[in-house]
Amino acid sequence: MNLNRYAKRIVFSFIACAVCLLSLAYEQKLFAQPHGQKAAEGPLNRKAESEGARIVSGFQFKPLNFVPPMVERVELKNGMIVYLLEDHDLPLFYATARIRTGAVYEPEEKSGLASLTGHVMRSGGTVSMPSDKMNKELEFLAASVETSIDRESGSASLSVLKKDIDTGLAIFADVLMHPAFPEDKIKMRKDEVIESIRRENDHPMQIAGREFRKILYDSGHPYSRRVDGTIESIGKITRDDLVSFHKQFFHPNNSILGISGDFNKEEIIKKLNMVFAGWKKQELQYPEVPTVKREFKKTVNYIYKDINQANVIMGHLGISRTNPDYFAVEIMNFILGGGGFSARITSRIRSEEGLAYSAFSAFQTSRDIGIFYVSCQTKLQSTNRAIAIALEEMEKMRTAPVSEEDLLLAKETYVNQFIFQFTTSASIVGQKVDIEYKGLPLNYLETYVENVKAVTLKDVEDVAKKYLHPDKIKILVVGDKEKFDKPLDTFGKVIVLGLD
Amino acid sequence: MNRKVTTVIFSIMLLLLITARGIHANSLKLDVKEHVFKNGLTLLMLEKHEVPIVATRIYFRVGSVNERPGITGVSHLFEHMMFKGTQLFGTRDYAAEKPLLEKEEELAVKISEETKKGEHADKEKVASLENELGEVRKKLRDLVVKDEYFSLYTRHGAAGLNAATSSDGTYYICNLPANKLELWAFMESDRMKNLVLREFYSERDVVMEERRLRTENSPFGALIEQLNAITFIAHPYRWPTIGWKSDVQFITKEETREYFQKYYAPNNAIIVMVGDFYRNEAIHLIEKYFGDIPGQAAPPDVKTLEPEQMGERRIEVEFDSNPYIAISYHTPGIGHADLYALDVLSSILSDGRTSRLYTSLIEDKRIAVMAQAGIGIGKYPETFTFYAIPRAPHTVSEVEAAFYEEVEKLKKEPPSDWELQKIKNQIEASFIRKLNSVSGLASEIGYYELLSDWRYINTYQEKVAQVTANDVVGVANKYLKKKNRTVALLVKKEIEEVAQ
């Protein structure tokens, strides 16, 4: 709520791999660093490790005795899938819903419609409860109901104390089923979104994130667009559009619900049937989403901004979330630039050469083909150097063998950190909902560790060759190229882009 | 947005049967156990056995408030250095590395001295020194085990590994699978005993990049830095935690080392453990690894007091960005009775959709898209800060006037019973919700112990419950007055006009 303390003085040391590019530096979670060597050397032989590591290798660790709680999955009569996990430790109750919808289903000329609908569903109140009454009621109970629609999914959440479950569930269901979409709240949200679009060019990272999608995806594909829309498209959206967008997608047989907390299963199912009584199964119609064109072609793109630190984002198309190579790709990227301090790109750019605070690579996956990208921010005078290192590391990942030690470090990290997937009942249920929504195997969590362990050196080498294309990379730099260490066209012909 | 550590909220006595461990039934109080070792090291423990993880924190009572002009930013730079390893970790052979590190330092000092001359620097001399330095660094690189601190931790399943520096303290964060506590105790105690400042110069460059990212190219970051510098004219809260550019650039290894020796001693440290461990084992473990580190004299306290403000201060910050506004008022430090009413006041103004700033500035007048107020709780007198993002074409002046209007209302008319009760309800609920997170609890316990005493968490609830409507009016009149405020406006950079 209050970023005063952080905005004032707290400075975080690293940023976690935040895939979204955020507006304020304070909001970012920073990254870490890896394992760097000069390109000329082979992978470091970790056998000759430190005295400390030798001492640690003699430690005996007791096995962790933990059996994750069983989450139940039921289907209600109306077709809604419900995951339940009772947790009586604290008098709390959480619900989270995923609804199959998203900005990918909105017409291009009305981009921003899905996001607007997702926001005003809650901010505009319902047919029976105006928004100011809803706000008062929820806030007095220290409860919250929130909704949103993103690129490929809709979400709704409820957090309430045990004593107020009935009130909370009633409002939660009402918001999902009967949003009022009053004109004034639509206008208010439109104005807010327009203001945030107006302000995007104030933040180098936001410019980079927005433009990179345009460069990567064919302009006819919804993946190329901003979920928020444009000032022009927002102007075209009417109340009727919101009403029909909501009507088209919000149905019980299109929703997965996860609930956790201090309740009794039989009672809560009765309650769910009661609050969602008016919600009927519907035949569902989905607009067709074009398939992503697999186009790989090197381009160098540049946007001028008078800043003293270049914002670099470079990459190409990656993989979809359900790609069978997913685990191998995760492990490979951990070694390349996703594994914090122990990743190669981060290590060389950050700790070895001191060129950036945040430097990492990531595969951002989606329903169709997502994005592989490398991100870093470095002073103008080392822009080319940083880009060159990232390209070099990508190439090395494809051509030089990965050591057993690098693979082991990645796998041990994934396996040993797995316990943190189970820190709260709400997070366990949330993952279950997410897994089903994304079309992953329902036993995904149960098989996760063996899937990680199954990744071999050959798998890592294969996916590096298959999914990394440094020769067909798309580079985007925001900054002042007159002050770069070397001309930007060292990497290819520069396409100069204007700012919207 | 990061939630400020200090809007931490707790609860009044609640007749709730709480079954979670570590909490007294019938009241919402944390049952933290304390142990102080012979060398002055404080250990705070809260057992919670639901999931086999332990959240650990090591807090040092040192932050940017302990710095001085010339070395501003050294606390934060040192925090980065804490991840570079020790005599045991991060090196293949410390005996071989030591003389090389000394040589590196000697050359770096010479280069700094020369380059500080600016235009008068002897470029040839610098070049030849840099050559020599390059040779030394090549040799050093062969001895380093890159980022071993990080990779050893993560491969053993550590999560959330991070650190942060604020004006009042420095925090080292590590959440672990419960069976890895001994590894943690060994590695952390070694950091306190045998730290080696390796890769110092590249890390100093990393911090410079962090400064460019968070402050120099961020409108809000730049605004807040300027606001603090003008709000405090005497007290060290005036400089940014990340330090002034000119200082960070040239902080020496020697200065950094002194810092370590002065502040990183057991008597200046607090260890917090929350999660699945047993108290006696924890005490034994800490004794085994930290018990032999000698305590030393407590570092000097900050003497300078901020003098009373003698009239409104206003500044403009020119930046290539849309406008922002921030206003700060001097308020007391932790322990002062007025802080509770100030906290309630800030909630009335800006927590949630029913708050006054939201309903007036954002919903009714629509002159802003964000408006927040918050009370900073620091070891020394801090500030109550308001900041907002105006919505074009509305101006910062309109937002400023609207904010004063809300403040004046509160000075004349007590807040309603409903408003007070709402806030008290939220304080209770958020206390209960917080009990779900071992990580959140660990941070909070450590934070308050660092500022004054962890028991603040328990007494806070009672104190807030006693806040009356008239108390809120009282603190509004006492602190939110013109004479006590500093107004900072971020304005669009003017394109320089040709002189008439």
Side-chain angles (χ1 to χ4, degrees):
Chain A
M1 294 299 250
N2 184 332
L3 66 70
N4 182 21
R5 163 134 314 262
Y6 287 109
K8 281 177 94 154
R9 303 188 194 91
I10 288 211
V11 177
F12 280 90
S13 220
F14 329 113
I15 287 193
C17 176
V19 171
C20 49
L21 297 168
L22 296 156
S23 60
L24 285 172
Y26 313 105
E27 293 182 329
Q28 299 175 352
K29 299 220 163 60
L30 266 203
F31 226 119
Q33 326 170 41
H35 192 101
Q37 325 98 43
K38 293 203 296 295
E41 300 167 350
L44 221 72
N45 178 356
R46 289 270 198 98
K47 292 287 181 289
E49 53 184 6
S50 70
E51 178 62 21
R54 272 194 290 276
I55 296 169
V56 168
S57 65
F59 281 23
Q60 299 290 316
F61 300 112
K62 287 184 207 144
L64 277 190
N65 294 318
F66 180 67
V67 181
M70 281 298 295
V71 181
E72 284 194 72
R73 179 183 182 278
V74 297
E75 187 171 335
L76 301 185
K77 286 193 219 54
N78 60 13
M80 190 193 288
I81 305 295
V82 184
Y83 282 95
L84 308 103
L85 179 54
E86 288 183 33
D87 172 1
H88 303 286
D89 271 346
L90 294 164
L92 298 169
F93 182 83
Y94 295 99
T96 176
R98 279 299 187 89
I99 299 91
R100 185 164 296 284
T101 175
V104 291
Y105 299 123
E106 70 197 7
E108 183 176 1
E109 69 276 9
K110 297 203 171 174
S111 63
L113 170 61
S115 174
L116 194 62
T117 306
H119 187 92
V120 183
M121 271 177 78
R122 164 65 184 85
S123 72
T126 65
V127 175
S128 62
M129 190 185 270
S131 65
D132 56 346
K133 185 169 185 286
M134 185 182 294
N135 296 342
K136 283 181 180 149
E137 183 130 2
L138 288 169
E139 289 188 5
F140 194 76
L141 299 177
S144 73
V145 169
E146 296 298 339
T147 57
S148 66
I149 299 179
D150 204 345
R151 194 178 298 280
E152 293 188 312
S153 73
S155 305
S157 66
L158 163 69
S159 170
V160 70
L161 295 177
K162 180 190 181 174
K163 68 181 175 59
D164 305 313
I165 287 179
D166 293 1
T167 312
L169 269 182
I171 294 175
F172 177 74
D174 198 26
V175 165
L176 282 170
M177 297 186 295
H178 311 296
F181 296 120
E183 288 282 8
D184 68 324
K185 286 291 189 288
I186 295 172
K187 177 161 190 336
M188 176 177 161
R189 180 58 187 171
K190 278 183 174 183
D191 287 345
E192 284 175 351
V193 175
I194 287 167
E195 183 64 25
S196 85
I197 294 171
R198 284 189 61 257
R199 287 174 171 268
E200 255 176 9
N201 292 344
D202 299 343
H203 309 284
M205 211 180 277
Q206 286 188 30
I207 299 170
R210 175 189 74 205
E211 297 300 322
F212 195 57
R213 284 195 163 272
K214 288 190 205 165
I215 290 164
L216 229 61
Y217 290 104
D218 177 85
S219 65
H221 198 283
Y223 282 7
S224 71
R225 300 196 287 265
R226 330 173 54 266
V227 174
D228 276 350
T230 63
I231 293 182
E232 193 191 358
S233 69
I234 290 168
K236 291 182 186 151
I237 299 170
T238 65
R239 177 176 183 269
D240 287 349
D241 294 326
L242 274 77
V243 172
S244 54
F245 194 86
H246 170 261
K247 204 162 150 184
Q248 187 175 2
F249 299 107
F250 281 73
H251 301 293
N253 48 316
N254 198 20
S255 308
I256 306 167
L257 181 67
I259 54 174
S260 60
D262 195 0
F263 60 84
N264 165 284
K265 182 194 157 187
E266 276 66 37
E267 276 176 37
I268 212 78
I269 288 179
K270 269 191 212 130
K271 284 178 183 175
L272 289 175
N273 281 322
M274 208 168 63
V275 295
F276 287 114
W279 225 20
K280 300 285 180 251
K281 243 188 220 188
Q282 288 272 348
E283 197 61 31
L284 295 161
Q285 291 292 328
Y286 283 100
E288 198 177 330
V289 180
T291 307
V292 170
K293 282 197 194 117
R294 297 180 50 85
E295 193 242 8
F296 290 85
K297 182 167 155 268
K298 183 171 176 176
T299 59
V300 182
N301 308 270
Y302 166 73
I303 296 172
Y304 169 77
K305 190 166 169 66
D306 181 15
I307 44 184
N308 67 18
Q309 184 182 54
N311 221 294
V312 178
I313 182 164
M314 50 200 270
H316 47 61
L317 295 179
I319 59 165
S320 73
R321 182 60 186 86
T322 50
N323 187 312
D325 294 329
Y326 179 81
F327 283 94
V329 168
E330 276 283 297
I331 297 287
M332 184 272 288
N333 185 62
F334 181 97
I335 297 166
L336 175 65
F341 281 85
S342 30
R344 297 171 177 186
I345 286 175
T346 320
S347 179
R348 280 196 61 200
I349 293 180
R350 179 173 157 151
S351 72
E352 185 136 326
E353 305 211 7
L355 304 183
Y357 173 59
S358 163
F360 63 92
S361 67
F363 278 82
Q364 191 183 328
T365 58
S366 38
R367 202 170 303 154
D368 199 338
I369 299 176
I371 302 172
F372 164 78
Y373 72 101
V374 176
S375 157
C376 84
Q377 301 82 36
T378 185
K379 62 187 178 296
L380 300 173
Q381 297 74 13
S382 48
T383 308
N384 269 44
R385 175 76 189 140
I387 295 171
I389 291 173
L391 288 171
E392 213 174 86
E393 288 301 330
M394 280 174 72
E395 187 53 38
K396 211 162 73 184
M397 196 76 218
R398 289 171 46 89
T399 52
V402 170
S403 70
E404 282 284 358
E405 173 55 35
D406 283 351
L407 178 67
L408 193 64
L409 170 64
K411 286 161 76 166
E412 282 181 350
T413 301
Y414 277 87
V415 170
N416 287 327
Q417 286 182 341
F418 186 58
I419 182 73
F420 288 96
Q421 305 293 102
F422 302 96
T423 46
T424 64
S425 51
S427 83
I428 298 169
V429 167
Q431 289 174 85
K432 285 286 190 187
V433 170
D434 199 49
I435 285 161
E436 176 153 358
Y437 183 80
K438 286 179 174 157
L440 296 165
L442 296 189
N443 65 354
Y444 180 84
L445 283 176
E446 292 74 12
T447 55
Y448 179 95
V449 170
E450 62 195 74
N451 277 322
V452 169
K453 286 182 173 168
V455 175
T456 64
L457 276 180
K458 187 172 180 323
D459 293 337
V460 171
E461 285 165 26
D462 289 350
V463 295
K465 286 192 173 68
K466 194 168 168 186
Y467 298 112
L468 297 178
H469 307 288
D471 56 331
K472 300 186 185 117
I473 198 144
K474 295 186 185 304
I475 298 169
L476 170 64
V477 187
V478 181
D480 179 359
K481 69 183 168 75
E482 297 308 309
K483 301 192 178 105
F484 291 178
D485 41 335
K486 284 184 190 153
L488 189 57
D489 59 18
T490 316
F491 302 109
K493 186 175 170 300
V494 177
I495 301 164
V496 179
L497 304 173
L499 272 182
D500 290 4
Chain B
M1 299 277 153
N2 265 311
R3 241 203 110 92
K4 192 179 50 162
V5 191
T6 47
T7 19
V8 169
I9 308 228
F10 317 101
S11 142
I12 51 169
M13 305 288 283
L14 249 200
L15 292 172
L16 266 173
L17 281 167
I18 302 254
T19 54
R21 284 166 203 262
I23 301 141
H24 291 305
N26 294 341
S27 83
L28 290 179
K29 284 196 187 300
L30 297 179
D31 185 15
V32 175
K33 298 294 182 208
E34 203 166 345
H35 187 93
V36 180
F37 295 86
K38 280 197 200 75
N39 56 10
L41 178 67
T42 301
L43 171 64
L44 301 176
M45 297 164 284
L46 185 62
E47 293 183 27
K48 281 173 73 65
H49 298 282
E50 295 86 3
V51 185
I53 53 177
V54 181
T56 70
R57 299 289 182 274
I58 302 189
Y59 282 20
F60 289 91
R61 299 176 196 273
V62 57
S64 52
V65 74
N66 304 97
E67 294 161 1
R68 60 177 188 270
I71 58 159
T72 62
V74 70
S75 317
H76 169 250
L77 173 61
F78 183 79
E79 173 228 302
H80 278 235
M81 295 315 298
M82 280 280 278
F83 288 85
K84 293 296 187 180
T86 63
Q87 294 174 25
L88 293 178
F89 290 99
T91 181
R92 276 163 229 294
D93 179 358
Y94 181 64
E97 190 186 24
K98 195 167 180 274
L100 287 166
L101 284 168
E102 284 160 5
K103 184 73 191 163
E104 180 196 38
E105 187 173 354
E106 184 192 318
L107 291 165
V109 169
K110 280 183 187 158
I111 293 169
S112 265
E113 278 167 7
E114 199 55 42
T115 48
K116 270 185 196 168
K117 294 175 187 168
E119 287 173 17
H120 305 294
D122 179 346
K123 288 202 178 64
E124 274 178 31
K125 185 177 169 187
V126 171
S128 96
L129 286 167
E130 278 182 341
N131 257 341
E132 207 181 332
L133 185 62
E135 291 305 308
V136 173
R137 284 194 176 148
K138 260 191 206 134
K139 288 179 193 154
L140 276 170
R141 214 166 281 158
D142 292 339
L143 293 169
V144 169
V145 183
K146 284 292 294 172
D147 298 306
E148 192 183 30
Y149 240 82
F150 197 88
S151 60
L152 251 177
Y153 259 137
T154 53
R155 78 185 316 161
H156 282 282
L161 189 63
N162 210 331
T165 309
S166 76
S167 43
D168 295 329
T170 310
Y171 323 112
Y172 295 87
I173 301 158
C174 180
N175 303 324
L176 287 158
N179 59 346
K180 297 289 167 64
L181 269 180
E182 179 146 18
L183 169 90
W184 165 85
F186 174 44
M187 285 174 66
E188 291 301 320
S189 59
D190 201 51
R191 282 212 274 198
M192 220 188 275
K193 290 176 198 174
N194 304 313
L195 192 80
V196 174
L197 299 179
R198 57 174 63 92
E199 295 178 319
F200 174 82
Y201 301 96
S202 64
E203 201 58 28
R204 199 174 61 180
D205 288 345
V206 169
V207 174
M208 290 297 289
E209 293 293 354
E210 185 176 359
R211 205 192 129 75
R212 289 185 187 101
L213 184 71
R214 289 183 191 281
T215 310
E216 295 167 20
N217 298 295
S218 159
F220 194 70
L223 180 72
I224 296 297
E225 184 174 271
Q226 294 289 313
L227 175 74
N228 287 325
I230 212 85
T231 298
F232 296 97
I233 58 172
H235 192 269
Y237 278 171
R238 61 183 313 208
W239 52 74
T241 292
I242 200 159
W244 297 118
K245 185 177 175 174
S246 58
D247 290 358
V248 179
Q249 224 170 342
F250 294 115
I251 289 173
T252 65
K253 222 168 162 174
E254 187 51 42
E255 285 161 342
T256 312
R257 220 175 354 243
E258 276 171 31
Y259 220 70
F260 176 53
Q261 280 149 4
K262 195 165 168 185
Y263 294 102
Y264 277 69
N267 49 291
N268 210 35
I270 301 151
I271 295 183
V272 185
M273 293 165 75
V274 178
D276 186 20
F277 67 95
Y278 292 94
R279 232 166 32 229
N280 294 342
E281 287 172 23
I283 293 171
H284 176 76
L285 194 65
I286 302 291
E287 178 61 51
K288 177 178 167 185
Y289 283 99
F290 291 83
D292 62 347
I293 309 175
Q296 57 190 48
D301 214 352
V302 174
K303 287 201 199 82
T304 309
L305 288 174
E306 183 65 17
E308 192 176 335
Q309 194 166 331
M310 298 170 71
E312 187 195 50
R313 299 180 195 138
R314 298 183 74 85
I315 51 161
E316 278 192 349
V317 178
E318 290 185 14
F319 209 92
D320 179 21
S321 157
N322 286 281
Y324 289 79
I325 176 170
I327 304 172
S328 64
Y329 298 85
H330 291 284
T331 49
I334 194 163
H336 195 287
D338 286 345
L339 283 182
Y340 306 103
L342 280 163
D343 217 339
V344 172
L345 169 68
S346 79
S347 292
I348 287 172
L349 281 171
S350 82
D351 279 358
R353 292 182 178 94
T354 60
S355 68
R356 295 185 177 204
L357 294 177
Y358 186 86
T359 52
S360 74
L361 276 64
I362 295 173
E363 245 180 355
D364 298 344
K365 297 194 174 88
R366 309 233 167 146
I367 56 176
V369 290
M370 189 272 263
Q372 285 282 331
I375 172 78
I377 296 184
K379 202 165 172 177
Y380 306 99
E382 251 268 14
T383 59
F384 179 97
T385 307
F386 163 79
Y387 39 87
I389 303 177
R391 187 175 74 79
H394 300 282
T395 61
V396 283
S397 310
E398 282 175 78
V399 172
E400 189 180 358
F403 170 66
Y404 297 151
E405 204 179 302
E406 289 305 319
V407 169
E408 291 310 308
K409 268 187 211 162
L410 269 170
K411 286 181 181 178
K412 292 188 184 78
E413 200 183 317
S416 68
D417 292 349
W418 186 89
E419 279 175 304
L420 283 182
Q421 193 54 53
K422 169 191 74 172
I423 288 159
K424 290 169 187 180
N425 293 348
Q426 289 181 351
I427 284 168
E428 278 170 32
S430 87
F431 183 88
I432 300 168
R433 290 190 174 113
K434 221 180 297 286
L435 298 173
N436 243 336
S437 163
V438 292
S439 187
L441 283 169
S443 293
E444 212 149 277
I445 291 165
Y447 184 79
Y448 283 100
E449 178 69 13
L450 185 122
L451 293 187
S452 73
D453 184 339
W454 67 266
R455 290 172 190 80
Y456 191 88
I457 297 169
N458 290 343
T459 55
Y460 180 92
Q461 322 158 39
E462 295 155 29
K463 301 277 190 188
V464 169
Q466 291 161 8
V467 171
T468 66
N470 285 333
D471 293 340
V472 175
V473 173
V475 294
N477 281 293
K478 187 171 170 186
Y479 298 102
L480 305 189
K481 51 191 183 196
K482 186 177 178 188
K483 186 182 158 215
N484 190 36
R485 79 183 175 219
T486 301
V487 182
L489 308 175
L490 187 121
V491 298
K492 194 90 179 168
K493 223 187 248 177
E494 295 294 329
I495 308 292
E496 301 222 353
E497 288 178 39
V498 182
Q500 296 298 310

